[in-house]
């Protein structure tokens, strides 16, 4: 993929691995869109479906930025190629975060592209939903770990986008441990801090009594 200036750069074979679960770190939303612009555009050019989870307060801004990137948002939405959902349609649905329910819904989202005739699904989630004070949100790290059992079953890149102005160091460490690929400084590369999900789940569950009641670091 030929990247735009200041847009995403991918190391050779960067997306050839079996697990395309990616954490992306940005300093503000302007950098978020600047870096991911080519990735998003390339998906539409390749005939992939785009499934985006965004802050409901930023939905209109998100659509405007897609339009500015040269995407016909109205046509893509009407055809089903583009789905933009607020967090309440996904992880924040209901009165608590239920990781089992959301894991099933996440897999259905990945299946939705090929089921509708698209080559694959490019999934993008703005992760500030994890900072919402909601029952069950403490399970978010376990959920992100379990995602690594789902993503390898599909040929779909899944990007979890973290705004570093909102997340603390502890959250960044957890994100690095649960994603085999990382985007930082506009470069996509293998993440050396990734921990196998079997190993990390055992660690999380062993520590659970000591960490009960603690929320994700902000």
């Amino acid at each position: 993929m030929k990247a735009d200036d200041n847009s995403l750069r991918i190391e050779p074979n960067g997306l050839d691995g079996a697990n395309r679960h990616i954490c992306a770190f940005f300093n503000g939303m302007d950098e978020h869109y600047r870096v991911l612009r080519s990735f998003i555009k390339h998906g539409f050019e390749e005939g992939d479906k785009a499934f985006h989870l965004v802050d409901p307060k930023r939905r209109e801004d998100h659509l405007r930025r897609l339009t500015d990137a040269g995407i016909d948002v109205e046509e893509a939405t009407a055809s089903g190629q583009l789905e933009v959902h607020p967090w309440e349609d996904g992880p924040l649905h209901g009165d608590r975060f239920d990781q089992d329910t959301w894991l099933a819904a996440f897999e259905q989202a990945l299946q939705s592209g090929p089921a509708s005739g698209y080559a694959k699904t490019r999934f993008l989630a703005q992760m500030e939903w994890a900072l919402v004070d909601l029952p069950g949100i403490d399970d978010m790290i376990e959920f992100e770990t379990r995602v690594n059992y789902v993503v390898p079953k599909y040929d779909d890149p899944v990007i979890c986008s973290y705004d570093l102005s909102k997340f603390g160091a502890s959250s960044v460490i957890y994100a690095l441990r649960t994603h085999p690929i990382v985007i930082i400084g506009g470069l996509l590369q293998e993440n050396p801090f990734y921990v196998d999900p079997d190993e990390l789940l055992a660690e999380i569950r062993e520590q659970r009594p000591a960490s009960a009641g603690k929320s994700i670091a902000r």
Side-chain angles (χ1 to χ4, degrees):
M1 174 173 56
K2 181 179 179 181
D4 298 334
D5 290 343
N6 299 318
S7 195
L8 183 63
R9 305 185 302 280
I10 300 178
E11 287 282 89
N13 305 318
L15 282 176
D16 289 350
N19 190 344
R20 298 172 176 84
H21 187 202
I22 304 161
C23 61
F25 299 113
F26 304 106
N27 289 298
M29 298 309 295
D30 287 342
E31 183 182 2
H32 165 96
Y33 287 104
R34 185 174 67 251
V35 171
L36 293 182
R37 178 187 178 100
S38 62
F39 173 83
I40 294 171
K41 286 184 63 178
H42 186 254
F44 283 95
E45 293 165 359
E46 291 294 300
D48 298 342
K49 179 169 182 173
F51 192 104
H52 297 171
L53 271 175
V54 301
D55 183 341
K57 296 177 182 177
R58 283 200 233 137
R59 187 177 187 276
E60 292 306 315
D61 179 66
H62 182 75
L63 297 177
R64 178 184 61 78
R65 290 180 188 256
L66 295 182
T67 299
D68 291 345
I71 296 164
D72 188 331
V73 168
E74 185 174 346
E75 179 180 335
T77 302
S79 69
Q81 187 176 14
L82 172 65
E83 290 190 36
V84 178
H85 294 275
W87 296 326
E88 287 80 2
D89 287 351
L92 300 187
H93 180 72
D95 58 0
R96 67 175 289 111
F97 172 64
D98 185 311
Q99 61 169 312
D100 292 326
T101 299
W102 175 226
L103 200 66
F106 167 71
E107 186 159 11
Q108 289 174 358
L110 295 187
Q111 294 169 344
S112 66
S116 302
Y118 296 100
K120 65 180 69 170
T121 302
R122 297 195 179 208
F123 188 99
L124 171 63
Q126 297 173 355
M127 292 299 294
E128 287 90 341
W129 63 263
L131 300 176
V132 174
D133 187 10
L134 190 74
I137 205 69
D138 295 346
D139 294 332
M140 197 275 287
I141 301 304
E142 182 174 338
F143 163 77
E144 283 277 42
T145 306
R146 293 175 64 196
V147 165
N148 292 307
Y149 294 124
V150 175
V151 175
K153 296 192 290 183
Y154 303 92
D155 189 28
D156 300 330
V158 174
I159 295 182
C160 301
S161 172
Y162 291 82
D163 183 345
L164 292 175
S165 69
K166 305 288 181 60
F167 287 90
S170 296
S171 300
V172 171
I173 291 171
Y174 280 127
L176 286 171
R177 299 187 78 199
T178 54
H179 296 76
I181 304 175
V182 61
I183 297 172
I184 190 165
L187 178 66
L188 182 146
Q189 57 193 318
E190 185 178 350
N191 174 19
F193 302 103
Y194 173 65
V195 179
D196 178 84
D198 287 347
E199 178 182 345
L200 190 53
L201 281 175
E203 178 185 326
I204 290 170
R205 288 163 182 171
E206 181 179 345
Q207 294 178 351
R208 177 162 290 155
S211 62
K214 294 182 180 178
S215 62
I216 182 172
R218 287 163 167 75

